[in-house]
Amino acid sequence: MSTDTLSAIDIQPVLKSLGIEPENTGVSTGAQWYEGSGKWIESYSPVDGKLIARVKCAGEFDYEMVVKQAEEAFKVWRSIPAPKRGEIVRQMGDALREKKDALGRLVSYEMGKSLQEGWGEVQEMIDICDFATGLSRQLYGLTMHSERPNHRMYEQWHPLGIVGIISAFNFPVAVWSWNSMIAWACGDVCIWKPSSKTPICAIACQNIIRDVLKKNNVPEGVSNLVIGNAAGDLLNNDKRVPLVSFTGSTRIGRHVSQTVAARFGRTILELGGNNAIIVTPDADLKMVLVGSVFGAVGTAGQRCTSTRRLIVHESIYNKVCEVLKGAYAQLSIGNPLDQHNHVGPLIDTKAVEDYLKAIEKAKAEGGKVLVEGGVLSGEGYESGCYVKPCIIEAENHFEIVQEETFAPILYLLKYSTIEEAIALQNGVPQGLSSSIFTTNMREMELFLSAAGSDCGIANVNIGTSGAEIGGAFGGEKETGGGRESGSDAWKAYMRRQTNTINYGTQLPLAQGIQFNF
């Protein structure tokens, strides 16, 4: 295992620069921090197993205080012109630029992703700030012709109110920003419940934007943080929170959906992915190698867009297998803050257990292991969270292949016709990201047609991961159907209102109805 400079291993200077103390409170309404009344949780790094810091979670009392503060803040925030809200978001982006290195290192250390990915995640936050700033001048509605004379119809969009954001550990900061920056530009206020596996990153984000909030006299309650699992249940059941954006597993997402729907609330659900790449005989294999290996082992397979299945044409199947084996043999596994390493740790030992169980289950169902997995031990792997990326020859109908395992396990499947490949790609409960590698225009267009991929994301000659913030992000089926980030995803954070103005001197009724008074 290679080592990097001291700055990549000694996290204390990073924590200090981000305002992180050995003991922190997990309740904030923006510029102010409040002592949580819940239990203490400890955040340990999967990189070296060391304690990063402790956090006092929010209890029901704290949550109630935060919601009331958010309700009052919304009354003020919604009335501030949208471009001025966008200017405040722009300043948040500048604050993130100043702290990009430190926050990226913390993301890498607390979550376990590579340092380049940690910096990249912060860059996504900066980019979405830029996007939201421009969006603040484009919250447009339509105008329609009325059937009644001297009438004008149009629609406009108003902010919803409080947006609850429940984010996952694998993108501990970016997904929050996808939601919050757009919601703030739209005039909403936000309550963020981050993953209890990565709470320190959330505290750091609130610290970074605190000065921006103070400088612009933003009312307390526009940006709120409540750490702890209890806060998630409270958000889901709270009628004062019209929208809950949840990122996580399909199992928990189903519960969130049912709970929020029961009170007629809205949800944005970003749930499981079981993403596949189709490799055709006309594919550029050099590109396939880069896209599939990064897709399968990047973030140690812990992206919702990670490549889980590689569907390869029978004529090139053996060649692709050999190329992949050679690439996997060259992977360097270790401290993700060392940029010489390709693969970091899983988030915790529970994830390691799930990884091992998935491999055994695949074998029991008839899978053939092409690249052996296993848990690494010894110097540099003291956390017990480092595993070997694994490749298994399998069948799409295997129960384990139908599931999402958050780990670097790649299933290889064989196909004979492009129609069969698309059927295999679609033949899972999830529908997030998909990809085809081909230089055949007919295959490409079929894959992108209504008869092709059933996923929310369909790529050609790039992998399944690495979505840009300019497009709407999300998927279909058990992925939840939600959309975040770019395009017109902003509409989910607002309510539509149709307006009709009569500028004449008569009051004609719709459908020609007559009242003779």
Side-chain angles (χ1 to χ4, degrees), residues 110-139:
E110 187 174 32
M111 187 268 151
K113 63 175 60 177
S114 73
L115 182 55
Q116 289 173 310
E117 290 182 79
W119 285 330
E121 183 168 345
V122 181
Q123 186 61 50
E124 281 193 27
M125 302 174 74
I126 295 167
D127 292 343
I128 203 68
C129 288
D130 290 345
F131 182 91
T133 300
L135 175 67
S136 68
R137 296 181 181 272
Q138 301 180 71
L139 302 173

PDB file of all heavy atoms in Angstrom, residues 110-139:
ATOM      1  N   GLU A 110     -14.068  10.897   5.366  1.00  0.00           N
ATOM      2  CA  GLU A 110     -15.227  10.392   6.121  1.00  0.00           C
ATOM      3  C   GLU A 110     -16.012   9.357   5.336  1.00  0.00           C
ATOM      4  O   GLU A 110     -16.536   8.405   5.907  1.00  0.00           O
ATOM      5  CB  GLU A 110     -16.160  11.539   6.523  1.00  0.00           C
ATOM      6  CG  GLU A 110     -17.271  11.074   7.459  1.00  0.00           C
ATOM      7  CD  GLU A 110     -18.134  12.181   7.998  1.00  0.00           C
ATOM      8  OE1 GLU A 110     -18.337  13.191   7.282  1.00  0.00           O
ATOM      9  OE2 GLU A 110     -18.629  12.056   9.136  1.00  0.00           O
ATOM     10  N   MET A 111     -16.116   9.532   4.005  1.00  0.00           N
ATOM     11  CA  MET A 111     -16.886   8.598   3.200  1.00  0.00           C
ATOM     12  C   MET A 111     -16.023   7.452   2.669  1.00  0.00           C
ATOM     13  O   MET A 111     -16.476   6.321   2.558  1.00  0.00           O
ATOM     14  CB  MET A 111     -17.552   9.349   2.040  1.00  0.00           C
ATOM     15  CG  MET A 111     -18.514   8.511   1.211  1.00  0.00           C
ATOM     16  SD  MET A 111     -17.660   7.743  -0.185  1.00  0.00           S
ATOM     17  CE  MET A 111     -18.638   6.265  -0.408  1.00  0.00           C
ATOM     18  N   GLY A 112     -14.782   7.769   2.281  1.00  0.00           N
ATOM     19  CA  GLY A 112     -13.889   6.733   1.774  1.00  0.00           C
ATOM     20  C   GLY A 112     -13.655   6.760   0.278  1.00  0.00           C
ATOM     21  O   GLY A 112     -12.952   5.913  -0.249  1.00  0.00           O
ATOM     22  N   LYS A 113     -14.238   7.746  -0.421  1.00  0.00           N
ATOM     23  CA  LYS A 113     -14.008   7.827  -1.864  1.00  0.00           C
ATOM     24  C   LYS A 113     -12.657   8.468  -2.145  1.00  0.00           C
ATOM     25  O   LYS A 113     -12.063   9.101  -1.271  1.00  0.00           O
ATOM     26  CB  LYS A 113     -15.134   8.596  -2.552  1.00  0.00           C
ATOM     27  CG  LYS A 113     -15.279  10.051  -2.133  1.00  0.00           C
ATOM     28  CD  LYS A 113     -16.346  10.768  -2.959  1.00  0.00           C
ATOM     29  CE  LYS A 113     -17.704  10.138  -2.811  1.00  0.00           C
ATOM     30  NZ  LYS A 113     -18.746  10.893  -3.562  1.00  0.00           N
ATOM     31  N   SER A 114     -12.167   8.320  -3.378  1.00  0.00           N
ATOM     32  CA  SER A 114     -10.854   8.836  -3.728  1.00  0.00           C
ATOM     33  C   SER A 114     -10.831  10.352  -3.578  1.00  0.00           C
ATOM     34  O   SER A 114     -11.867  11.022  -3.663  1.00  0.00           O
ATOM     35  CB  SER A 114     -10.481   8.453  -5.156  1.00  0.00           C
ATOM     36  OG  SER A 114     -11.233   9.229  -6.086  1.00  0.00           O
ATOM     37  N   LEU A 115      -9.633  10.887  -3.362  1.00  0.00           N
ATOM     38  CA  LEU A 115      -9.498  12.322  -3.184  1.00  0.00           C
ATOM     39  C   LEU A 115      -9.984  13.075  -4.420  1.00  0.00           C
ATOM     40  O   LEU A 115     -10.630  14.122  -4.306  1.00  0.00           O
ATOM     41  CB  LEU A 115      -8.046  12.681  -2.879  1.00  0.00           C
ATOM     42  CG  LEU A 115      -7.733  14.156  -2.617  1.00  0.00           C
ATOM     43  CD1 LEU A 115      -8.605  14.705  -1.491  1.00  0.00           C
ATOM     44  CD2 LEU A 115      -6.260  14.342  -2.285  1.00  0.00           C
ATOM     45  N   GLN A 116      -9.691  12.551  -5.594  1.00  0.00           N
ATOM     46  CA  GLN A 116     -10.167  13.195  -6.820  1.00  0.00           C
ATOM     47  C   GLN A 116     -11.686  13.239  -6.859  1.00  0.00           C
ATOM     48  O   GLN A 116     -12.285  14.226  -7.291  1.00  0.00           O
ATOM     49  CB  GLN A 116      -9.623  12.458  -8.041  1.00  0.00           C
ATOM     50  CG  GLN A 116      -8.132  12.656  -8.252  1.00  0.00           C
ATOM     51  CD  GLN A 116      -7.598  11.792  -9.367  1.00  0.00           C
ATOM     52  OE1 GLN A 116      -7.828  10.593  -9.417  1.00  0.00           O
ATOM     53  NE2 GLN A 116      -6.871  12.404 -10.291  1.00  0.00           N
ATOM     54  N   GLU A 117     -12.322  12.150  -6.406  1.00  0.00           N
ATOM     55  CA  GLU A 117     -13.782  12.125  -6.357  1.00  0.00           C
ATOM     56  C   GLU A 117     -14.309  13.080  -5.285  1.00  0.00           C
ATOM     57  O   GLU A 117     -15.377  13.683  -5.452  1.00  0.00           O
ATOM     58  CB  GLU A 117     -14.275  10.710  -6.089  1.00  0.00           C
ATOM     59  CG  GLU A 117     -14.060   9.751  -7.235  1.00  0.00           C
ATOM     60  CD  GLU A 117     -14.614   8.373  -6.921  1.00  0.00           C
ATOM     61  OE1 GLU A 117     -15.828   8.190  -7.025  1.00  0.00           O
ATOM     62  OE2 GLU A 117     -13.815   7.491  -6.556  1.00  0.00           O
ATOM     63  N   GLY A 118     -13.588  13.199  -4.169  1.00  0.00           N
ATOM     64  CA  GLY A 118     -13.994  14.146  -3.129  1.00  0.00           C
ATOM     65  C   GLY A 118     -13.963  15.572  -3.646  1.00  0.00           C
ATOM     66  O   GLY A 118     -14.914  16.340  -3.453  1.00  0.00           O
ATOM     67  N   TRP A 119     -12.881  15.935  -4.312  1.00  0.00           N
ATOM     68  CA  TRP A 119     -12.815  17.265  -4.919  1.00  0.00           C
ATOM     69  C   TRP A 119     -13.892  17.430  -5.986  1.00  0.00           C
ATOM     70  O   TRP A 119     -14.507  18.480  -6.108  1.00  0.00           O
ATOM     71  CB  TRP A 119     -11.436  17.479  -5.544  1.00  0.00           C
ATOM     72  CG  TRP A 119     -10.349  17.741  -4.563  1.00  0.00           C
ATOM     73  CD1 TRP A 119     -10.463  18.351  -3.349  1.00  0.00           C
ATOM     74  CD2 TRP A 119      -8.965  17.392  -4.716  1.00  0.00           C
ATOM     75  NE1 TRP A 119      -9.237  18.405  -2.719  1.00  0.00           N
ATOM     76  CE2 TRP A 119      -8.295  17.844  -3.532  1.00  0.00           C
ATOM     77  CE3 TRP A 119      -8.216  16.763  -5.702  1.00  0.00           C
ATOM     78  CZ2 TRP A 119      -6.922  17.662  -3.349  1.00  0.00           C
ATOM     79  CZ3 TRP A 119      -6.856  16.590  -5.525  1.00  0.00           C
ATOM     80  CH2 TRP A 119      -6.225  17.037  -4.353  1.00  0.00           C
ATOM     81  N   GLY A 120     -14.101  16.355  -6.763  1.00  0.00           N
ATOM     82  CA  GLY A 120     -15.120  16.414  -7.809  1.00  0.00           C
ATOM     83  C   GLY A 120     -16.514  16.620  -7.256  1.00  0.00           C
ATOM     84  O   GLY A 120     -17.337  17.327  -7.864  1.00  0.00           O
ATOM     85  N   GLU A 121     -16.789  16.029  -6.090  1.00  0.00           N
ATOM     86  CA  GLU A 121     -18.104  16.205  -5.481  1.00  0.00           C
ATOM     87  C   GLU A 121     -18.309  17.657  -5.054  1.00  0.00           C
ATOM     88  O   GLU A 121     -19.397  18.217  -5.244  1.00  0.00           O
ATOM     89  CB  GLU A 121     -18.265  15.271  -4.276  1.00  0.00           C
ATOM     90  CG  GLU A 121     -19.641  15.355  -3.657  1.00  0.00           C
ATOM     91  CD  GLU A 121     -19.934  14.252  -2.666  1.00  0.00           C
ATOM     92  OE1 GLU A 121     -19.203  13.245  -2.634  1.00  0.00           O
ATOM     93  OE2 GLU A 121     -20.903  14.409  -1.907  1.00  0.00           O
ATOM     94  N   VAL A 122     -17.271  18.275  -4.502  1.00  0.00           N
ATOM     95  CA  VAL A 122     -17.376  19.685  -4.128  1.00  0.00           C
ATOM     96  C   VAL A 122     -17.539  20.548  -5.384  1.00  0.00           C
ATOM     97  O   VAL A 122     -18.290  21.532  -5.380  1.00  0.00           O
ATOM     98  CB  VAL A 122     -16.160  20.135  -3.305  1.00  0.00           C
ATOM     99  CG1 VAL A 122     -16.299  21.605  -2.912  1.00  0.00           C
ATOM    100  CG2 VAL A 122     -16.015  19.276  -2.051  1.00  0.00           C
ATOM    101  N   GLN A 123     -16.854  20.171  -6.463  1.00  0.00           N
ATOM    102  CA  GLN A 123     -17.006  20.921  -7.708  1.00  0.00           C
ATOM    103  C   GLN A 123     -18.442  20.851  -8.212  1.00  0.00           C
ATOM    104  O   GLN A 123     -18.963  21.841  -8.752  1.00  0.00           O
ATOM    105  CB  GLN A 123     -16.047  20.396  -8.776  1.00  0.00           C
ATOM    106  CG  GLN A 123     -16.044  21.214 -10.063  1.00  0.00           C
ATOM    107  CD  GLN A 123     -15.627  22.651  -9.826  1.00  0.00           C
ATOM    108  OE1 GLN A 123     -14.609  22.919  -9.199  1.00  0.00           O
ATOM    109  NE2 GLN A 123     -16.411  23.597 -10.332  1.00  0.00           N
ATOM    110  N   GLU A 124     -19.099  19.717  -8.031  1.00  0.00           N
ATOM    111  CA  GLU A 124     -20.514  19.612  -8.389  1.00  0.00           C
ATOM    112  C   GLU A 124     -21.347  20.615  -7.590  1.00  0.00           C
ATOM    113  O   GLU A 124     -22.290  21.212  -8.120  1.00  0.00           O
ATOM    114  CB  GLU A 124     -21.031  18.194  -8.128  1.00  0.00           C
ATOM    115  CG  GLU A 124     -20.653  17.190  -9.190  1.00  0.00           C
ATOM    116  CD  GLU A 124     -21.434  15.901  -9.058  1.00  0.00           C
ATOM    117  OE1 GLU A 124     -22.567  15.930  -8.534  1.00  0.00           O
ATOM    118  OE2 GLU A 124     -20.926  14.849  -9.480  1.00  0.00           O
ATOM    119  N   MET A 125     -21.016  20.802  -6.326  1.00  0.00           N
ATOM    120  CA  MET A 125     -21.728  21.771  -5.505  1.00  0.00           C
ATOM    121  C   MET A 125     -21.540  23.182  -6.062  1.00  0.00           C
ATOM    122  O   MET A 125     -22.489  23.967  -6.149  1.00  0.00           O
ATOM    123  CB  MET A 125     -21.226  21.716  -4.066  1.00  0.00           C
ATOM    124  CG  MET A 125     -21.356  20.367  -3.401  1.00  0.00           C
ATOM    125  SD  MET A 125     -20.571  20.354  -1.776  1.00  0.00           S
ATOM    126  CE  MET A 125     -21.740  21.302  -0.805  1.00  0.00           C
ATOM    127  N   ILE A 126     -20.312  23.491  -6.435  1.00  0.00           N
ATOM    128  CA  ILE A 126     -20.020  24.802  -7.011  1.00  0.00           C
ATOM    129  C   ILE A 126     -20.798  24.991  -8.304  1.00  0.00           C
ATOM    130  O   ILE A 126     -21.392  26.045  -8.556  1.00  0.00           O
ATOM    131  CB  ILE A 126     -18.502  24.941  -7.243  1.00  0.00           C
ATOM    132  CG1 ILE A 126     -17.750  24.924  -5.905  1.00  0.00           C
ATOM    133  CG2 ILE A 126     -18.186  26.207  -8.027  1.00  0.00           C
ATOM    134  CD1 ILE A 126     -16.252  24.744  -6.031  1.00  0.00           C
ATOM    135  N   ASP A 127     -20.806  23.953  -9.134  1.00  0.00           N
ATOM    136  CA  ASP A 127     -21.502  24.034 -10.420  1.00  0.00           C
ATOM    137  C   ASP A 127     -23.002  24.231 -10.240  1.00  0.00           C
ATOM    138  O   ASP A 127     -23.635  24.992 -10.983  1.00  0.00           O
ATOM    139  CB  ASP A 127     -21.238  22.764 -11.241  1.00  0.00           C
ATOM    140  CG  ASP A 127     -19.790  22.644 -11.693  1.00  0.00           C
ATOM    141  OD1 ASP A 127     -19.074  23.658 -11.654  1.00  0.00           O
ATOM    142  OD2 ASP A 127     -19.372  21.525 -12.062  1.00  0.00           O
ATOM    143  N   ILE A 128     -23.596  23.549  -9.261  1.00  0.00           N
ATOM    144  CA  ILE A 128     -25.037  23.682  -9.071  1.00  0.00           C
ATOM    145  C   ILE A 128     -25.376  25.058  -8.509  1.00  0.00           C
ATOM    146  O   ILE A 128     -26.465  25.592  -8.775  1.00  0.00           O
ATOM    147  CB  ILE A 128     -25.608  22.556  -8.171  1.00  0.00           C
ATOM    148  CG1 ILE A 128     -27.106  22.361  -8.430  1.00  0.00           C
ATOM    149  CG2 ILE A 128     -25.356  22.816  -6.706  1.00  0.00           C
ATOM    150  CD1 ILE A 128     -27.441  21.816  -9.777  1.00  0.00           C
ATOM    151  N   CYS A 129     -24.443  25.673  -7.774  1.00  0.00           N
ATOM    152  CA  CYS A 129     -24.649  27.061  -7.344  1.00  0.00           C
ATOM    153  C   CYS A 129     -24.719  27.984  -8.554  1.00  0.00           C
ATOM    154  O   CYS A 129     -25.577  28.866  -8.636  1.00  0.00           O
ATOM    155  CB  CYS A 129     -23.532  27.505  -6.407  1.00  0.00           C
ATOM    156  SG  CYS A 129     -23.588  26.783  -4.761  1.00  0.00           S
ATOM    157  N   ASP A 130     -23.811  27.771  -9.508  1.00  0.00           N
ATOM    158  CA  ASP A 130     -23.832  28.571 -10.734  1.00  0.00           C
ATOM    159  C   ASP A 130     -25.134  28.350 -11.497  1.00  0.00           C
ATOM    160  O   ASP A 130     -25.748  29.299 -11.999  1.00  0.00           O
ATOM    161  CB  ASP A 130     -22.641  28.204 -11.630  1.00  0.00           C
ATOM    162  CG  ASP A 130     -21.307  28.660 -11.055  1.00  0.00           C
ATOM    163  OD1 ASP A 130     -21.312  29.493 -10.132  1.00  0.00           O
ATOM    164  OD2 ASP A 130     -20.269  28.185 -11.531  1.00  0.00           O
ATOM    165  N   PHE A 131     -25.554  27.091 -11.585  1.00  0.00           N
ATOM    166  CA  PHE A 131     -26.792  26.764 -12.294  1.00  0.00           C
ATOM    167  C   PHE A 131     -27.986  27.442 -11.626  1.00  0.00           C
ATOM    168  O   PHE A 131     -28.840  28.036 -12.295  1.00  0.00           O
ATOM    169  CB  PHE A 131     -26.976  25.248 -12.324  1.00  0.00           C
ATOM    170  CG  PHE A 131     -28.199  24.796 -13.078  1.00  0.00           C
ATOM    171  CD1 PHE A 131     -28.138  24.513 -14.427  1.00  0.00           C
ATOM    172  CD2 PHE A 131     -29.422  24.657 -12.430  1.00  0.00           C
ATOM    173  CE1 PHE A 131     -29.267  24.106 -15.123  1.00  0.00           C
ATOM    174  CE2 PHE A 131     -30.553  24.253 -13.111  1.00  0.00           C
ATOM    175  CZ  PHE A 131     -30.470  23.977 -14.475  1.00  0.00           C
ATOM    176  N   ALA A 132     -28.054  27.341 -10.291  1.00  0.00           N
ATOM    177  CA  ALA A 132     -29.185  27.913  -9.561  1.00  0.00           C
ATOM    178  C   ALA A 132     -29.206  29.431  -9.663  1.00  0.00           C
ATOM    179  O   ALA A 132     -30.281  30.042  -9.685  1.00  0.00           O
ATOM    180  CB  ALA A 132     -29.140  27.481  -8.092  1.00  0.00           C
ATOM    181  N   THR A 133     -28.025  30.043  -9.747  1.00  0.00           N
ATOM    182  CA  THR A 133     -27.968  31.497  -9.906  1.00  0.00           C
ATOM    183  C   THR A 133     -28.621  31.920 -11.216  1.00  0.00           C
ATOM    184  O   THR A 133     -29.442  32.850 -11.256  1.00  0.00           O
ATOM    185  CB  THR A 133     -26.506  31.983  -9.869  1.00  0.00           C
ATOM    186  OG1 THR A 133     -25.923  31.631  -8.613  1.00  0.00           O
ATOM    187  CG2 THR A 133     -26.426  33.482 -10.059  1.00  0.00           C
ATOM    188  N   GLY A 134     -28.278  31.236 -12.303  1.00  0.00           N
ATOM    189  CA  GLY A 134     -28.922  31.526 -13.583  1.00  0.00           C
ATOM    190  C   GLY A 134     -30.400  31.194 -13.571  1.00  0.00           C
ATOM    191  O   GLY A 134     -31.231  31.924 -14.132  1.00  0.00           O
ATOM    192  N   LEU A 135     -30.734  30.083 -12.912  1.00  0.00           N
ATOM    193  CA  LEU A 135     -32.129  29.647 -12.832  1.00  0.00           C
ATOM    194  C   LEU A 135     -33.005  30.693 -12.152  1.00  0.00           C
ATOM    195  O   LEU A 135     -34.189  30.844 -12.502  1.00  0.00           O
ATOM    196  CB  LEU A 135     -32.208  28.322 -12.070  1.00  0.00           C
ATOM    197  CG  LEU A 135     -33.593  27.755 -11.779  1.00  0.00           C
ATOM    198  CD1 LEU A 135     -34.278  27.349 -13.084  1.00  0.00           C
ATOM    199  CD2 LEU A 135     -33.499  26.558 -10.837  1.00  0.00           C
ATOM    200  N   SER A 136     -32.452  31.429 -11.218  1.00  0.00           N
ATOM    201  CA  SER A 136     -33.242  32.406 -10.460  1.00  0.00           C
ATOM    202  C   SER A 136     -33.843  33.482 -11.355  1.00  0.00           C
ATOM    203  O   SER A 136     -34.764  34.184 -10.935  1.00  0.00           O
ATOM    204  CB  SER A 136     -32.377  33.048  -9.370  1.00  0.00           C
ATOM    205  OG  SER A 136     -31.365  33.869  -9.933  1.00  0.00           O
ATOM    206  N   ARG A 137     -33.346  33.623 -12.569  1.00  0.00           N
ATOM    207  CA  ARG A 137     -33.917  34.576 -13.529  1.00  0.00           C
ATOM    208  C   ARG A 137     -34.754  33.873 -14.610  1.00  0.00           C
ATOM    209  O   ARG A 137     -35.154  34.504 -15.594  1.00  0.00           O
ATOM    210  CB  ARG A 137     -32.801  35.380 -14.198  1.00  0.00           C
ATOM    211  CG  ARG A 137     -32.019  36.252 -13.228  1.00  0.00           C
ATOM    212  CD  ARG A 137     -30.935  37.048 -13.923  1.00  0.00           C
ATOM    213  NE  ARG A 137     -30.179  37.862 -12.966  1.00  0.00           N
ATOM    214  CZ  ARG A 137     -30.513  39.097 -12.593  1.00  0.00           C
ATOM    215  NH1 ARG A 137     -31.584  39.678 -13.113  1.00  0.00           N
ATOM    216  NH2 ARG A 137     -29.782  39.753 -11.720  1.00  0.00           N
ATOM    217  N   GLN A 138     -35.015  32.579 -14.412  1.00  0.00           N
ATOM    218  CA  GLN A 138     -35.711  31.818 -15.454  1.00  0.00           C
ATOM    219  C   GLN A 138     -36.815  30.921 -14.897  1.00  0.00           C
ATOM    220  O   GLN A 138     -37.090  29.854 -15.440  1.00  0.00           O
ATOM    221  CB  GLN A 138     -34.702  30.954 -16.218  1.00  0.00           C
ATOM    222  CG  GLN A 138     -33.594  31.742 -16.887  1.00  0.00           C
ATOM    223  CD  GLN A 138     -32.637  30.824 -17.614  1.00  0.00           C
ATOM    224  OE1 GLN A 138     -32.965  30.241 -18.648  1.00  0.00           O
ATOM    225  NE2 GLN A 138     -31.443  30.672 -17.060  1.00  0.00           N
ATOM    226  N   LEU A 139     -37.426  31.328 -13.813  1.00  0.00           N
ATOM    227  CA  LEU A 139     -38.530  30.539 -13.242  1.00  0.00           C
ATOM    228  C   LEU A 139     -39.800  30.878 -14.006  1.00  0.00           C
ATOM    229  O   LEU A 139     -40.721  31.500 -13.505  1.00  0.00           O
ATOM    230  CB  LEU A 139     -38.668  30.841 -11.745  1.00  0.00           C
ATOM    231  CG  LEU A 139     -37.404  30.555 -10.911  1.00  0.00           C
ATOM    232  CD1 LEU A 139     -37.586  31.046  -9.482  1.00  0.00           C
ATOM    233  CD2 LEU A 139     -37.078  29.063 -10.922  1.00  0.00           C
TER     234      LEU A 139
END
